[in-house]
Amino acid sequence: MIYDIILSLTSWKGRIYDTSMLMVLFSMLKQKTTFNYKVVLVLSSDEFRDKEQELPPKLIELADVCDYFEILWTKENTKAYKKYFPVRRKYPDENICILDDDSTLHDNFVESF
């Protein structure tokens, strides 16, 4: 599928269990826009060795039911760089907007961006 934009973010063990993380994701997923977009959460298997088994159940459920949300696993934990380079490798021709896991978006962010 071709996207107009991919919103990419990463997180870490210290924040991923915080309920505010889900609020950030919901703000990204509930955009009022005509553009075709996807939200990609990039996580490191070095940090989350058991991958999905270490993540909050609501996060896994969200990835299962939402077609435009994806959890992308990368090996090494390159900190902030992992929200760009793994996504660029998987989606080489897409526009990528990197975001933080602690900032909720206005509901028209994608449209105005």
Side-chain angles (χ1 to χ4, degrees):
M1 176 172 282
I2 297 173
Y3 298 100
D4 295 311
I5 192 166
I6 293 177
L7 305 180
S8 179
L9 71 156
T10 189
S11 195
W12 58 293
K13 282 188 174 185
R15 182 167 295 127
I16 202 148
Y17 301 102
D18 191 314
T19 56
S20 66
M21 174 66 185
L22 280 177
M23 298 309 295
V24 169
L25 283 174
F26 287 139
S27 76
M28 293 178 182
L29 294 169
K30 296 174 84 176
Q31 291 290 300
K32 294 177 182 173
T33 183
T34 57
F35 293 106
N36 185 26
Y37 76 101
K38 181 173 192 139
V39 176
V40 178
L41 172 63
V42 184
L43 299 173
S44 168
S45 59
D46 280 350
E47 183 174 12
F48 297 95
R49 296 200 187 278
D50 292 323
K51 294 187 176 182
E52 286 84 359
Q53 289 76 24
E54 291 190 56
L55 301 181
K58 289 188 186 270
L59 187 61
I60 300 302
E61 182 181 336
L62 187 59
D64 288 341
V65 299
C66 184
D67 292 337
Y68 57 102
F69 173 63
E70 170 185 1
I71 298 172
L72 178 62
W73 291 99
T74 188
K75 171 84 174 96
E76 63 273 353
N77 187 356
T78 56
K79 310 289 185 199
Y81 294 111
K82 73 179 178 257
K83 60 184 159 182
Y84 179 75
F85 290 109
V87 178
R88 175 57 65 211
R89 279 191 297 272
K90 183 167 183 181
Y91 300 100
D93 299 323
E94 306 294 343
N95 297 309
I96 300 170
C97 175
I98 56 172
L99 299 165
D100 292 327
D101 64 349
D102 61 352
S103 299
T104 56
L105 302 182
H106 293 282
D107 62 357
N108 66 342
F109 175 84
V110 169
E111 194 71 24
S112 61
F113 184 79

